[in-house]
Amino acid sequence: DAGVTQSPTHLIKTRGQHVTLRCSPISGHKSVSWYQQVLGQGPQFIFQYYEKEERGRGNFPDRFSARQFPNYSSELNVNALLLGDSALYLCASSFRESNQPQHFGDGTRLSIL
Amino acid sequence: AQKITQTQPGMFVQEKEAVTLDCTYDTSDQSYGLFWYKQPSSGEMIFLIYQGSYDEQNATEGRYSLNFQKARKSANLVISASQLGDSAMYFCAMRVPGSNYQLIWGAGTKLIIKP
């Protein structure tokens, strides 16, 4: 079975632009979460979606938004990019909201010039 | 407040030795899950092992075991017979219902296996 897939793998943008990152969960998984990992740090929670509804939001500005589609795939959008948005963006899926493990994609490495 | 603490920023271990990576957690929830993930330099986050708060036995997965001491709120990862391929960042994380099941992460431990 395919794991969590994220696209693109790498992306270079300039300040002020916007970006859309995509994530396809493991087949059958209905919960998708997004994390930002700045170099040298642990991941920080951005959003969680379950059954197409936002279930949780981390401490990120409104420039960050996301949605989940009927097939449970998800998009993360970031507007008005700042240099500090440069990071590895990780998507994780799990069957449902629970204490069960989340499985991660390989991430999208976003660089802002 | 929910928190994960990993006090070892980096560790050097000789190949074939066992290694223990420390993790302490703080939560007021009775139901929670504890996880260890491995992140090689390539960046992917690899799930290693899971321990539920109500599990009476310590979790084991191949060479990985979790030393779960609930009263002390610790969940240390033990890697037996370390291999060169074990060199990576290791993160301890927690999911609790009170935080919408988001993963709360520690700062990580960089493990380097010496040949």
Side-chain angles (χ1 to χ4, degrees):
Chain A
D1 286 341
V4 178
T5 57
Q6 291 187 244
S7 62
T9 54
H10 294 84
L11 203 51
I12 300 174
K13 292 284 188 178
T14 57
R15 283 178 296 174
Q17 287 188 311
H18 75 273
V19 67
T20 297
L21 309 182
R22 295 178 174 83
C23 172
S24 292
I26 291 171
S27 178
H29 283 191
K30 300 180 179 180
S31 178
V32 170
S33 298
W34 287 95
Y35 296 85
Q36 181 197 64
Q37 187 179 22
V38 174
L39 193 63
Q41 299 181 16
Q44 296 292 316
F45 171 73
I46 310 175
F47 285 110
Q48 180 180 352
Y49 279 79
Y50 178 69
E51 289 280 16
K52 302 179 285 297
E53 290 189 4
E54 182 184 302
R55 297 293 201 165
R57 174 185 286 251
N59 188 23
F60 280 80
D62 292 343
R63 300 185 295 108
F64 289 77
S65 64
R67 55 181 175 168
Q68 187 177 32
F69 299 99
N71 66 354
Y72 303 110
S73 67
S74 178
E75 283 183 355
L76 175 70
N77 294 284
V78 187
N79 293 324
L81 288 166
L82 304 173
L83 293 178
D85 295 332
S86 294
L88 179 67
Y89 288 84
L90 294 163
C91 173
S93 77
S94 58
F95 177 63
R96 56 187 174 92
E97 296 174 301
S98 71
N99 285 328
Q100 293 303 307
Q102 291 183 330
H103 296 272
F104 285 78
D106 290 346
T108 293
R109 199 167 293 277
L110 176 63
S111 299
I112 311 300
L113 303 179
Chain B
Q2 333 279 6
K3 188 178 180 182
I4 292 284
T5 302
Q6 294 181 255
T7 57
Q8 306 153 310
M11 288 187 71
F12 287 89
V13 173
Q14 202 69 37
E15 189 180 9
K16 299 181 184 177
E17 289 184 350
V19 57
T20 298
L21 305 180
D22 295 341
C23 172
T24 58
Y25 60 92
D26 190 17
T27 180
S28 55
D29 285 67
Q30 296 302 307
S31 173
Y32 50 88
L34 296 161
F35 307 85
W36 279 92
Y37 286 87
K38 171 185 178 181
Q39 189 176 42
S41 56
S42 50
E44 71 269 30
M45 195 69 78
I46 302 167
F47 166 70
L48 295 178
I49 197 166
Y50 161 78
Q51 180 85 41
S53 58
Y54 294 119
D55 294 341
E56 295 184 354
Q57 305 260 354
N58 285 342
T60 60
E61 288 286 349
R63 293 187 299 114
Y64 305 107
S65 60
L66 200 152
N67 183 2
F68 181 45
Q69 297 187 46
K70 194 169 182 177
R72 297 181 61 186
K73 292 192 173 180
S74 75
N76 298 340
L77 177 70
V78 180
I79 306 174
S80 63
S82 58
Q83 303 171 356
L84 296 178
D86 294 332
S87 295
M89 283 292 291
Y90 288 80
F91 290 97
C92 180
M94 176 173 64
R95 288 184 92 179
V96 294
S99 63
N100 292 316
Y101 292 106
Q102 66 171 276
L103 274 171
I104 299 158
W105 299 80
T109 295
K110 186 174 180 65
L111 176 64
I112 296 175
I113 307 299
K114 300 183 293 183

